[in-house]
Amino acid sequence: MTSEDTTLDASTPWLGVDALIDDPRTRIVVCCGSGGVGKTTTAAALGVRAAERGRKVVVLTIDPARRLAQSMGISELDNVPRQVKGVDEAAGGELHAMMLDMKRTFDEIVEGHADADRARAILENPFYESLSAGFAGTQEYMAMEKLGQLRATDEWDLIIVDTPPSRSALDFLDAPKRLGSFLDGKFIRVLMAPAKVGGRAGMKFLNVGMSMMTGTLSKLMGGQLLRDVQTFVAAMDTMFGGFRTRADATYRLLQAPGTAFLVVAAPERDALREAAYFVERLAAEQMPLAGLVLNRVHGSGAAQLSAERALAAVETLTDHTAEDTGADTDRGAAPDDQHETETAPRGYSDGGGGPDDTDGADGAENLEPTGIVDLDGGNAGSRAAGDHSPGAAARPTTRTSASAAHLAAGLLRLHAERMQVLARERRTRDRFTTLHPEVPVTEVAALPGDVHDLAGLRAIGDRLALGPADSDTDS
């Protein structure tokens, strides 16, 4: 990739990744963005690079595809951090990795905040099983719960979070509050009310209203589901305030100076539009944005050859090839060629000083490695391989030239397509930087293949850390 491909406008600040991960004040890095832009790979590459630069790192991924485990050489990731082998620890760093187990994290919260009997009643409740396994927002909420747990232990110098593959990156910020509001909301409070109203009068009055409400809810939810919900609510009564409290604490942790958000995007219109929304939302929520990682940027080692010039060269090659092929066809049908074919022995010239002898008078054909020189004739009286006359042997050369021209034209077309991709990516990138000139940016050149091991993660880390002056040496 040349500097022409990656050089941003001079007013656009460059994101210094090494400075970010080396800073001891940076304790949490959150990689966020829309789905399919390389958040997991970016988080893993940052983890490898930070560990090999001396920091004790844990990477928390919420990616169900388990690509992180495969690339780090770990057979399986679970809810417990596991050390990654093969990382260079000469600088004193370590790398651990884990994958969020949403249900197990929820179970840990219940077990940590309820006595044994109540915890068992909650864990065995059918409504809880559904809530902990797939309720909207649970995954994002539990990711933040796990982040809070990791930060509270103070065991790690740096925690890198790979956010969930949500339909919208904004879900990551909204979900913890949504789930906290649900578990601490009016609906739950109404279901808890019978257990909190004392006295016969109060219970009699409440039972009338509750009978009407539960009758309606039973029709909407089903009687058994309503009973499961009420049982769950009764068991969780003492824990509901904790969900809201922890959600608020995690939110404040995300706003703290030690946290850095990295928005990851591909150089595509939809991905950068989502990135722009996220940048604006982070600013509105007063959360610290470190910058934008523009991932899988394409480059070319021949950027000086524009798409227009490449296509013009294709037209020129095509025209010349057509002319040469037509001229060769005309020469092949000439009377002299027919006469030679009929009167001379196959594979030999007539040796009479005709045109064929003139063509070979400089001895060039005697130097052909595929020909057998006729020493008696002394000139072009040679027999070419395959028993063809020298005049006929010249025609495959024309066909070879035509094939080379076709190949060159194909390569030029491919180059033109690549340059058109580069131009489109550059326009998309420039549109983002124009709208958000204050956001630092780093560009990561696309690799020729998928990342599936530590070496690939190191290569991504190297590209992440390149500065503007280094980008012209990247290929």
Side-chain angles (χ1 to χ4, degrees), residues 317 321 396-412:
L317 276 173
T321 302
T397 302
T398 303
R399 288 195 295 270
T400 302
S401 299
S403 298
H406 284 302
L407 177 61
L411 292 174
L412 285 167

PDB file of all heavy atoms in Angstrom, residues 317 321 396-412:
ATOM      1  N   LEU A 317      -4.090  -1.979 -26.515  1.00  0.00           N
ATOM      2  CA  LEU A 317      -3.614  -3.356 -26.697  1.00  0.00           C
ATOM      3  C   LEU A 317      -4.580  -4.155 -27.552  1.00  0.00           C
ATOM      4  O   LEU A 317      -4.174  -4.921 -28.428  1.00  0.00           O
ATOM      5  CB  LEU A 317      -3.441  -4.031 -25.335  1.00  0.00           C
ATOM      6  CG  LEU A 317      -2.125  -3.796 -24.601  1.00  0.00           C
ATOM      7  CD1 LEU A 317      -2.203  -4.387 -23.199  1.00  0.00           C
ATOM      8  CD2 LEU A 317      -0.966  -4.428 -25.361  1.00  0.00           C
ATOM      9  N   THR A 321      -3.611  -5.799 -31.148  1.00  0.00           N
ATOM     10  CA  THR A 321      -3.691  -7.254 -31.281  1.00  0.00           C
ATOM     11  C   THR A 321      -4.573  -7.633 -32.452  1.00  0.00           C
ATOM     12  O   THR A 321      -4.253  -8.539 -33.230  1.00  0.00           O
ATOM     13  CB  THR A 321      -4.241  -7.868 -29.987  1.00  0.00           C
ATOM     14  OG1 THR A 321      -3.394  -7.505 -28.901  1.00  0.00           O
ATOM     15  CG2 THR A 321      -4.296  -9.380 -30.083  1.00  0.00           C
ATOM     16  N   PRO A 396       3.560 -19.015 -34.868  1.00  0.00           N
ATOM     17  CA  PRO A 396       3.240 -19.204 -33.449  1.00  0.00           C
ATOM     18  C   PRO A 396       3.746 -18.054 -32.585  1.00  0.00           C
ATOM     19  O   PRO A 396       3.176 -17.740 -31.552  1.00  0.00           O
ATOM     20  CB  PRO A 396       3.945 -20.511 -33.098  1.00  0.00           C
ATOM     21  CG  PRO A 396       4.011 -21.249 -34.389  1.00  0.00           C
ATOM     22  CD  PRO A 396       4.220 -20.194 -35.426  1.00  0.00           C
ATOM     23  N   THR A 397       4.865 -17.396 -33.009  1.00  0.00           N
ATOM     24  CA  THR A 397       5.357 -16.252 -32.251  1.00  0.00           C
ATOM     25  C   THR A 397       4.315 -15.142 -32.223  1.00  0.00           C
ATOM     26  O   THR A 397       4.100 -14.481 -31.214  1.00  0.00           O
ATOM     27  CB  THR A 397       6.653 -15.736 -32.877  1.00  0.00           C
ATOM     28  OG1 THR A 397       7.612 -16.788 -32.903  1.00  0.00           O
ATOM     29  CG2 THR A 397       7.204 -14.554 -32.094  1.00  0.00           C
ATOM     30  N   THR A 398       3.644 -14.957 -33.376  1.00  0.00           N
ATOM     31  CA  THR A 398       2.586 -13.952 -33.429  1.00  0.00           C
ATOM     32  C   THR A 398       1.454 -14.322 -32.484  1.00  0.00           C
ATOM     33  O   THR A 398       0.914 -13.490 -31.777  1.00  0.00           O
ATOM     34  CB  THR A 398       2.065 -13.811 -34.864  1.00  0.00           C
ATOM     35  OG1 THR A 398       3.155 -13.481 -35.715  1.00  0.00           O
ATOM     36  CG2 THR A 398       0.992 -12.734 -34.937  1.00  0.00           C
ATOM     37  N   ARG A 399       1.122 -15.646 -32.485  1.00  0.00           N
ATOM     38  CA  ARG A 399       0.049 -16.082 -31.582  1.00  0.00           C
ATOM     39  C   ARG A 399       0.467 -15.916 -30.128  1.00  0.00           C
ATOM     40  O   ARG A 399      -0.337 -15.547 -29.267  1.00  0.00           O
ATOM     41  CB  ARG A 399      -0.323 -17.535 -31.888  1.00  0.00           C
ATOM     42  CG  ARG A 399      -1.070 -17.714 -33.199  1.00  0.00           C
ATOM     43  CD  ARG A 399      -1.722 -19.088 -33.277  1.00  0.00           C
ATOM     44  NE  ARG A 399      -0.740 -20.155 -33.310  1.00  0.00           N
ATOM     45  CZ  ARG A 399      -0.213 -20.648 -34.436  1.00  0.00           C
ATOM     46  NH1 ARG A 399      -0.553 -20.127 -35.607  1.00  0.00           N
ATOM     47  NH2 ARG A 399       0.665 -21.626 -34.390  1.00  0.00           N
ATOM     48  N   THR A 400       1.745 -16.182 -29.802  1.00  0.00           N
ATOM     49  CA  THR A 400       2.239 -15.986 -28.441  1.00  0.00           C
ATOM     50  C   THR A 400       2.147 -14.529 -28.039  1.00  0.00           C
ATOM     51  O   THR A 400       1.758 -14.186 -26.921  1.00  0.00           O
ATOM     52  CB  THR A 400       3.696 -16.471 -28.316  1.00  0.00           C
ATOM     53  OG1 THR A 400       3.757 -17.833 -28.687  1.00  0.00           O
ATOM     54  CG2 THR A 400       4.217 -16.278 -26.898  1.00  0.00           C
ATOM     55  N   SER A 401       2.504 -13.641 -28.960  1.00  0.00           N
ATOM     56  CA  SER A 401       2.404 -12.214 -28.673  1.00  0.00           C
ATOM     57  C   SER A 401       0.960 -11.809 -28.402  1.00  0.00           C
ATOM     58  O   SER A 401       0.681 -10.996 -27.516  1.00  0.00           O
ATOM     59  CB  SER A 401       2.965 -11.402 -29.843  1.00  0.00           C
ATOM     60  OG  SER A 401       4.335 -11.707 -30.044  1.00  0.00           O
ATOM     61  N   ALA A 402       0.051 -12.384 -29.172  1.00  0.00           N
ATOM     62  CA  ALA A 402      -1.361 -12.077 -28.963  1.00  0.00           C
ATOM     63  C   ALA A 402      -1.824 -12.561 -27.591  1.00  0.00           C
ATOM     64  O   ALA A 402      -2.566 -11.867 -26.883  1.00  0.00           O
ATOM     65  CB  ALA A 402      -2.215 -12.717 -30.059  1.00  0.00           C
ATOM     66  N   SER A 403      -1.342 -13.757 -27.169  1.00  0.00           N
ATOM     67  CA  SER A 403      -1.718 -14.271 -25.853  1.00  0.00           C
ATOM     68  C   SER A 403      -1.174 -13.373 -24.751  1.00  0.00           C
ATOM     69  O   SER A 403      -1.848 -13.101 -23.763  1.00  0.00           O
ATOM     70  CB  SER A 403      -1.176 -15.694 -25.672  1.00  0.00           C
ATOM     71  OG  SER A 403      -1.741 -16.561 -26.629  1.00  0.00           O
ATOM     72  N   ALA A 404       0.072 -12.909 -24.916  1.00  0.00           N
ATOM     73  CA  ALA A 404       0.659 -12.012 -23.927  1.00  0.00           C
ATOM     74  C   ALA A 404      -0.130 -10.704 -23.852  1.00  0.00           C
ATOM     75  O   ALA A 404      -0.338 -10.143 -22.768  1.00  0.00           O
ATOM     76  CB  ALA A 404       2.114 -11.728 -24.279  1.00  0.00           C
ATOM     77  N   ALA A 405      -0.575 -10.236 -25.009  1.00  0.00           N
ATOM     78  CA  ALA A 405      -1.360  -9.000 -25.025  1.00  0.00           C
ATOM     79  C   ALA A 405      -2.686  -9.184 -24.308  1.00  0.00           C
ATOM     80  O   ALA A 405      -3.135  -8.307 -23.564  1.00  0.00           O
ATOM     81  CB  ALA A 405      -1.590  -8.550 -26.467  1.00  0.00           C
ATOM     82  N   HIS A 406      -3.310 -10.359 -24.536  1.00  0.00           N
ATOM     83  CA  HIS A 406      -4.577 -10.639 -23.835  1.00  0.00           C
ATOM     84  C   HIS A 406      -4.359 -10.712 -22.327  1.00  0.00           C
ATOM     85  O   HIS A 406      -5.179 -10.225 -21.540  1.00  0.00           O
ATOM     86  CB  HIS A 406      -5.185 -11.940 -24.344  1.00  0.00           C
ATOM     87  CG  HIS A 406      -5.846 -11.815 -25.696  1.00  0.00           C
ATOM     88  ND1 HIS A 406      -6.874 -10.924 -25.924  1.00  0.00           N
ATOM     89  CD2 HIS A 406      -5.624 -12.467 -26.865  1.00  0.00           C
ATOM     90  CE1 HIS A 406      -7.265 -11.021 -27.189  1.00  0.00           C
ATOM     91  NE2 HIS A 406      -6.516 -11.944 -27.785  1.00  0.00           N
ATOM     92  N   LEU A 407      -3.267 -11.345 -21.902  1.00  0.00           N
ATOM     93  CA  LEU A 407      -2.962 -11.431 -20.480  1.00  0.00           C
ATOM     94  C   LEU A 407      -2.729 -10.045 -19.889  1.00  0.00           C
ATOM     95  O   LEU A 407      -3.236  -9.714 -18.810  1.00  0.00           O
ATOM     96  CB  LEU A 407      -1.719 -12.314 -20.266  1.00  0.00           C
ATOM     97  CG  LEU A 407      -1.219 -12.441 -18.816  1.00  0.00           C
ATOM     98  CD1 LEU A 407      -2.293 -13.062 -17.936  1.00  0.00           C
ATOM     99  CD2 LEU A 407       0.060 -13.282 -18.769  1.00  0.00           C
ATOM    100  N   ALA A 408      -1.950  -9.233 -20.596  1.00  0.00           N
ATOM    101  CA  ALA A 408      -1.693  -7.873 -20.118  1.00  0.00           C
ATOM    102  C   ALA A 408      -2.984  -7.076 -20.008  1.00  0.00           C
ATOM    103  O   ALA A 408      -3.198  -6.323 -19.052  1.00  0.00           O
ATOM    104  CB  ALA A 408      -0.715  -7.176 -21.051  1.00  0.00           C
ATOM    105  N   ALA A 409      -3.864  -7.256 -20.996  1.00  0.00           N
ATOM    106  CA  ALA A 409      -5.141  -6.537 -20.963  1.00  0.00           C
ATOM    107  C   ALA A 409      -5.971  -6.976 -19.758  1.00  0.00           C
ATOM    108  O   ALA A 409      -6.605  -6.144 -19.089  1.00  0.00           O
ATOM    109  CB  ALA A 409      -5.912  -6.782 -22.263  1.00  0.00           C
ATOM    110  N   GLY A 410      -5.962  -8.284 -19.457  1.00  0.00           N
ATOM    111  CA  GLY A 410      -6.701  -8.775 -18.295  1.00  0.00           C
ATOM    112  C   GLY A 410      -6.166  -8.204 -16.998  1.00  0.00           C
ATOM    113  O   GLY A 410      -6.933  -7.804 -16.105  1.00  0.00           O
ATOM    114  N   LEU A 411      -4.841  -8.141 -16.880  1.00  0.00           N
ATOM    115  CA  LEU A 411      -4.239  -7.575 -15.679  1.00  0.00           C
ATOM    116  C   LEU A 411      -4.555  -6.089 -15.544  1.00  0.00           C
ATOM    117  O   LEU A 411      -4.796  -5.587 -14.440  1.00  0.00           O
ATOM    118  CB  LEU A 411      -2.721  -7.779 -15.707  1.00  0.00           C
ATOM    119  CG  LEU A 411      -2.245  -9.227 -15.571  1.00  0.00           C
ATOM    120  CD1 LEU A 411      -0.736  -9.318 -15.766  1.00  0.00           C
ATOM    121  CD2 LEU A 411      -2.632  -9.791 -14.194  1.00  0.00           C
ATOM    122  N   LEU A 412      -4.560  -5.390 -16.652  1.00  0.00           N
ATOM    123  CA  LEU A 412      -4.889  -3.966 -16.613  1.00  0.00           C
ATOM    124  C   LEU A 412      -6.345  -3.752 -16.192  1.00  0.00           C
ATOM    125  O   LEU A 412      -6.656  -2.802 -15.467  1.00  0.00           O
ATOM    126  CB  LEU A 412      -4.637  -3.328 -17.975  1.00  0.00           C
ATOM    127  CG  LEU A 412      -3.163  -3.093 -18.322  1.00  0.00           C
ATOM    128  CD1 LEU A 412      -3.004  -2.763 -19.804  1.00  0.00           C
ATOM    129  CD2 LEU A 412      -2.589  -1.952 -17.465  1.00  0.00           C
TER     130      LEU A 412
END
